[in-house]
Amino acid sequence: MNYSLDRQQIKLWRLSIYFIFALPGFSMASWVSRTPTIRDALGATTAQMGWIIFGMAVGSIVGLMSASHLIAHKGGRFVMVTGLVISSIGLIIVGVGGSWIINSIIVFLGLAIFGFGNGICDVAMNVEGTAVEGVTKKSLLTGFHAAFSVGTLFGAIVGSVATKSGVLVPLHLTFVSVVIVLSIVFLSRFVPLGTGKEDNSDSNGTSMSARERMAVWKEPRTILISIIVLGMAFAEGSANDWLPLIMVDGYNVTPTMGSFAFGLFVAAMTVGRAIGGLLLDRLGRVLVLRISALLAIVGLLIVIFGGSYTFATIGIVLWGLGAAFGFPVGLSAAGDDPRGVAARVSAVATAGYLAFLVGPPFLGFVGEMIGLLRALIVVLITVTIAGLLSQAAKPIGKTNN
């Protein structure tokens, strides 16, 4: 797509995408911050809560699989707005079902709607991000993902304050939903119409049929990039779900110290993504991916075999820095070809989300047999594979990395 935008319009577009990336993080953290209250209201066991939360996984996967077709027909801006409105409706349903009506089926359905909205929005905002990169000729996607982390942090803070202040769950989640809807309606004004939209009547060869969009899943380059993203997303997701328990069980420390270790990981990953654009512009994708994989490998080795909590925290920082780049860099690489960009970004994003959703439970299963600390060897293997395949992310049509 050709953009006829002046410098100020491009600046506003870029700035709006930073804020839009923060919104799903804000909504996700808002839900997570109220899970203990909702679990207690439902009287659900850990296993039952796991099945309830599975609703979000189902919705997310359906959304990710549907996103490329929606974007091809309606454009990225429409899908981002629609996705965040849908996810906000789902969040309100979750709050009502988990506090006032108190029905696990309603919460499950609310989470499925929430996950679907976030799924289509996730692909659309990454398509927009790759489009901004193309217009500005700068590596920006890691910075956009850093904004997601900042939104998550802000949502966690608001959720903590709401919980401590005794704010009812439906009121809290409705407030969050209203803020998100008003924000996306305002921010969408600065996003060009039609990013990722394909016109089957054109004659320049940029449009794709539904069959061609599905065929991108078989492309060797897309498959390799998906494996890279899967491996690095597994490194990120395993820390998000298990790191506090890994430290508590593996190093016999207090839950507070385990939470502190997780905070270090998130902080390191956020810093890595914040400076990622500068590193990518200077060093190129392939070298950055190799360095990040190496950092994650060294960090994981220190955590697994470090022997002391203090030494292990050094490994956690390296692990966080290493895990920062794989997902956004992989999505950026998937968006190199403007023909079918939504389909490829969708495919790679789906691989990443599969790692987020399926990887941590698998790690828990392995950890049940050999301990969570030793189970990290599985993560070590996937990160090593991702590092070895880094060459696949080389920009199309360029001799450098």
Side-chain angles (χ1 to χ4, degrees), residues 49 59 83 113 128 137 152 159 168 171 245 306 315-316 318 327 341 360 385 388 396 400-401:
M49 199 64 184
I113 295 169
E128 290 287 344
K137 307 301 180 184
T152 303
L168 295 176
L171 296 180
L245 282 175
I316 288 169
L318 296 176
F327 197 32
V341 59
I385 293 172
L388 292 173
I396 294 176
N400 56 26
N401 294 331

Side-chain angles (χ1 to χ4, degrees), residues 139-160:
S139 299
L140 301 172
L141 215 54
T142 54
F144 292 144
H145 281 258
F148 178 92
S149 299
V150 172
T152 303
L153 178 61
F154 186 63
I157 292 171
V158 172
S160 177

